Amino acid sequence: MRTFDLAPLYRSAIGFDRLAQLLNDQRADAQPSYPPYNIELVSEDKYRIVMALAGFSRAEIDIMTERDSLQVTGRKQKDGVERTFLHRGIAARDFEQRFQLANHVKVTGATFENGMLTIELVREVPEAHKPRKIDIGSGSDTISADTNVEALEQRQAA
């Protein structure tokens, strides 16, 4: 397995420590392959996670968000019946799947139908973080820089 030295990133980049930590975590932890899932880009700021959860009921699945993390947990309830399998291809075992969410990505809803869990996500960038155009005044304008900033803030507030 390849290893990457992230020391230069720590030395020269400020504020990227979270990114470096994510890279380290992904390198250390092998992503579990159960349950199978897809991550779809629905539109520019909308995403969808679809998980195949055969054998689970709605009551056995928990979805939780905390800060920049989405956690999906499945706890299979034991039915107390002893079974002898000749072939067991349906796992139906407990699982915990975590997804790291980017800044401003929020979970908007979830549905469970025909063994498929669908989680809808959207990126909601606050107005303060969206690009804005700055008016450029000429040298003969008598408006000070402070007045120009105040005018821009008033326009954004409206």
Side-chain angles (χ1 to χ4, degrees):
M1 181 174 179
R2 294 181 179 167
T3 59
F4 298 100
D5 181 19
L6 299 177
L9 180 64
Y10 286 119
R11 284 194 304 261
S12 62
I14 298 170
F16 289 93
D17 50 335
R18 182 172 175 266
L19 175 64
Q21 186 62 45
L22 282 172
L23 291 172
N24 275 331
D25 291 346
Q26 288 299 318
R27 195 173 59 179
D29 300 333
Q31 285 292 330
S33 61
Y34 178 79
Y37 63 90
N38 293 333
I39 300 175
E40 302 174 24
L41 176 62
V42 177
S43 66
E44 186 177 346
D45 290 325
K46 292 186 180 183
Y47 305 90
R48 179 179 298 136
I49 299 172
V50 181
M51 300 180 80
L53 302 178
F56 282 86
S57 70
R58 188 174 280 122
E60 296 170 327
I61 303 167
D62 287 320
I63 302 171
M64 190 176 208
T65 60
E66 182 180 350
R67 290 190 184 169
D68 301 337
S69 177
L70 168 66
Q71 177 181 338
V72 181
T73 307
R75 300 282 178 243
K76 194 71 183 139
Q77 296 176 355
K78 307 297 179 210
D79 59 4
V81 177
E82 187 70 29
R83 292 186 168 88
T84 303
F85 292 99
L86 297 178
H87 170 74
R88 187 167 188 170
I90 302 172
R93 62 182 179 262
D94 293 351
F95 69 89
E96 183 176 298
Q97 182 71 39
R98 293 181 181 267
F99 299 93
Q100 282 299 126
L101 303 177
N103 292 337
H104 314 297
V105 173
K106 307 289 183 229
V107 176
T108 58
T111 58
F112 185 69
E113 189 175 336
N114 297 327
M116 301 296 279
L117 176 67
T118 303
I119 303 170
E120 302 290 340
L121 303 110
V122 66
R123 180 185 358 223
E124 297 174 344
V125 180
E127 284 296 321
H129 293 173
K130 289 183 179 176
R132 60 187 173 113
K133 184 168 175 70
I134 307 297
D135 292 331
I136 302 172
S138 65
S140 62
D141 289 342
T142 58
I143 299 174
S144 69
D146 292 333
T147 307
N148 196 16
V149 170
E150 289 173 12
L152 285 172
E153 289 174 354
Q154 289 173 356
R155 272 193 244 154
Q156 281 186 340

